[in-house]
Amino acid sequence: MSIQAKERLVDEVAQGIGEFLTVKQTNAVSNVLSDKLTKYEITEQYEGKISKDLLNVFLDAKRIEGRSEKTINRYSYEIERMLMDVGKPIESITVYDIRRYFMEMKKRGMQDSSIEGVRSVMSSFFGWLWKETLIPANPCANIGAIKTQKKIRKPYSAVELEKLKNGCKTLRDKALICFMLSTGARINEVVSLNRDDVDYNNQECKVLGKGNKERTVYLDDVTAMVLAEYQEKRKDSSPALFGCVRSNSDRITAHGVRKMLTDLGKATHVENVHPHRFRRTLATNLIDHGMPIQEVAMILGHENINTTMKYVYITKANVKNSYRKYA
């Protein structure tokens, strides 16, 4: 604790006992307390106000950078939880506090991949504060990425895709599946699209991705046909590209799409049916057909090609065929 902090503690004690003692007695207690505290290192308990102010400054900076509110809320939740657990002002947090925090997560049974996600948040937070000279040191500077077990996330096979399309109960569901497979758009991007966002002549549409960045995605011939047929048969006036089954006047939600896919997977006996797998399938198919990975990254809205590589499932057969072709 700093000299100023110890003085604040003495003053607080003096105020607390002042109503029970005389001024002379209070001063005597204050002098003795001040003298004794010089022999001790005291940790000031975290009250949160200053740390909360620094957190808000950081979150505002991320908003200015165009981060989504979903990302902002994740930052806020993880950082506030860490601050409450560590119990120290931000500028006093050390690398040992952060490591202990991660160790406690591990003891509670949290997976390494989840802890790595939290580490990434902390690294961004403390790294930003340090660059802005708001803290004397970055406690995450020497904490490297946490190694996680790589899971093989396979794309949909051609048979699985046919099962899903044939198992659709409505034209809207089929149009949704075709659209997600053809465009590789994120689920939140898909549900926010309107009818007039689609250019059927050029078979493309604009989507607003992460960081409010706009990009172009493309429709194959079958998707354009199914989507156009779905729109022609709708009787509502909703601007939403995809409406609810019960009432097309309402825009379908991301939760609604996930539930539809889960139910469809059960009905068709296709395992692990979820929206993100369509992005993985598109990326893999495009790479298999020879599209440069830089262009695949543009379609998926990735700034880092390494992220795109994680989406691509490369079989040994593909590697062998490529070797025979180019060697």
Side-chain angles (χ1 to χ4, degrees), residues 155 180-184 276-293 295-297 299-300 302 307-314:
M180 287 188 290
L181 178 62
S182 176
T183 64
H276 218 69
R277 197 175 174 192
F278 289 97
R279 280 169 62 79
R280 192 177 305 282
T281 302
L282 175 66
T284 300
N285 290 345
L286 293 177
I287 292 294
D288 281 350
H289 286 83
M291 177 177 278
I293 193 168
E295 295 177 6
V296 176
I299 291 175
L300 295 180
H302 291 158
T307 304
T308 310
M309 283 300 300
K310 295 177 183 178
Y311 279 63
V312 179
Y313 176 74
I314 302 176

Side-chain angles (χ1 to χ4, degrees), residues 75-118:
Y75 280 141
S76 179
Y77 172 77
E78 294 295 354
I79 295 168
E80 285 187 339
R81 188 169 68 161
M82 179 274 298
L83 291 175
M84 292 300 296
D85 184 277
V86 173
K88 294 169 66 174
I90 287 177
E91 63 273 15
S92 301
I93 293 176
T94 68
V95 62
Y96 305 107
D97 295 320
I98 301 297
R99 284 175 179 158
R100 182 196 62 78
Y101 181 65
F102 291 158
M103 199 64 228
E104 289 299 320
M105 286 183 164
K106 198 172 185 67
K107 288 179 180 178
R108 292 196 298 267
M110 185 175 288
Q111 295 182 353
D112 288 340
S113 58
S114 299
I115 300 176
E116 168 58 18
V118 176

